[in-house]
Amino acid sequence: MFDIKLHQRPQVLILSGLDPSGGAGIQADIQTVTALGGHPLPIVTCLTVQDTRNVYNAAAVNADLVAEQLACLAEDTPIHAIKTGALGNSAIVDVLLAFITSHPNIPLIVDPVIKAAGGGDLADQALITAMRDKLFPLADVITPNGIELAGIGHSPDSGTAASSLLQNGCRAVLATGGHGTGPVIINTLFRADREPAEWSIDRVGADYKGEFHGTGCTLAAAIAAGRAAGLELDAAIEQAQQFVSVAIGNALKVGEGQPVPDRIAGQQLR
Ligand code: PLP
């Protein structure tokens, strides 16, 4: 027998959907948080039918069960950051809101997942409205891609769309440029009280037109891991972008559709 010294990692509560291809969703989040030195506390919000090409069906988990899981976890474990992805339905948003209200001051990173890259729906209008009006104002940062931002901010111009979300109470919007084209990806952080901050990242994997399955999940989960470890928002974003670049630069072939960022390769950044 030998003694062990127990230690605790930064713990990230994750609410997101299950993607059986292992490219996006809760598996992406778990791998990312783990690779960046955190301990994931995962709650599945919805089950999807999908492969690396598209989402074909999705069903939300019972919201009461999610509420029980949250209450049970919070009784037992410290939570250092919360990351959300696909949320299933608006009832799950309400459950999460009640939880956040009774556990304030935990950094919340919201990836407003609406559609899969292949076009399949992951949110109905009630869920989009609940996220925009109730969840975004509680978030440290939300991380929409260009398509999501245009939809929820009601403008094709990212600055205008981000302003409308900031006016609605959102604290920070990281508009991600990965779904665009061109050799450089520009991610822009909009905040109400400051000039936008921009990060330029070389686009890797141009052969795949920049489309990798689970990139948005990976970025948001990496930001949450950084915030859970005590990084300020800008530093967490910086680290997350490097993590995503390494993961994409070592992407995996899983199926016939989009390649999958290798989150384990990103571990070398630690
Ligand atoms: N969450 C789930 C459960 C998904 O199935 C998907 C996409 O298919 C996403 C999130 C978003 O993936 P991405 O990071 O590629 O935007």
Side-chain angles (χ1 to χ4, degrees):
M1 288 288 281
F2 55 90
D3 287 334
I4 54 164
K5 195 166 177 316
L6 299 182
H7 63 289
Q8 190 166 66
R9 293 179 180 275
Q11 307 200 128
V12 181
L13 174 67
I14 296 164
L15 285 91
S16 67
L18 180 74
D19 163 12
S21 82
I26 206 146
Q27 178 163 317
D29 299 336
I30 290 172
Q31 290 179 325
T32 300
V33 168
T34 306
L36 283 169
H39 176 74
L41 304 168
I43 293 184
V44 175
T45 54
C46 64
L47 301 174
T48 70
V49 177
Q50 72 178 296
D51 55 25
T52 57
R53 293 172 286 217
N54 206 354
V55 172
Y56 309 102
N57 199 358
V61 164
N62 184 312
D64 292 339
L65 193 63
V66 174
E68 267 187 67
Q69 289 175 315
L70 286 169
C72 177
L73 260 185
E75 277 283 297
D76 183 46
T77 54
I79 296 168
H80 302 112
I82 304 173
K83 185 263 165 180
T84 67
L87 282 169
N89 62 28
S90 63
I92 294 179
V93 174
D94 288 338
V95 161
L96 178 60
L97 287 170
F99 178 80
I100 292 171
T101 309
S102 56
H103 300 83
N105 304 322
I106 304 175
L108 169 68
I109 315 304
V110 173
D111 182 18
V113 175
I114 294 172
K115 267 186 193 298
D121 283 324
L122 285 160
D124 62 13
Q125 193 51 50
L127 172 53
I128 296 170
T129 305
M131 285 197 291
R132 192 186 54 218
D133 294 348
K134 302 186 207 168
L135 195 59
F136 291 0
L138 302 177
D140 229 27
V141 65
I142 67 165
T143 61
N145 62 36
I147 299 159
E148 289 161 348
L149 180 58
I152 45 187
H154 304 302
S155 170
D157 176 68
S158 60
T160 310
S163 300
S164 93
L165 295 176
L166 294 173
Q167 275 162 23
N168 207 30
C170 192
R171 264 178 276 162
V173 178
L174 180 65
T176 63
H179 287 251
T181 50
V184 174
I185 293 173
I186 299 185
N187 290 343
T188 311
L189 182 64
F190 297 94
R191 282 175 277 204
D193 46 353
R194 312 180 209 183
E195 286 299 301
E198 278 190 358
W199 286 266
S200 302
I201 307 145
D202 287 338
R203 188 182 293 279
V204 290
D207 293 356
Y208 296 100
K209 302 189 194 72
E211 297 289 347
F212 292 82
H213 192 53
T215 312
C217 308
T218 305
L219 181 74
I223 297 172
R227 293 290 286 129
L231 296 183
E232 294 296 335
L233 183 59
D234 290 67
I237 291 174
E238 183 84 43
Q239 170 176 273
Q241 290 177 145
Q242 285 178 33
F243 182 87
V244 172
S245 292
V246 173
I248 288 179
N250 293 277
L252 302 168
K253 175 171 172 60
V254 174
E256 296 306 315
Q258 298 177 333
V260 169
D262 186 1
R263 270 82 55 166
I264 305 309
Q267 203 160 10
Q268 69 195 57
L269 285 175
R270 284 185 61 211

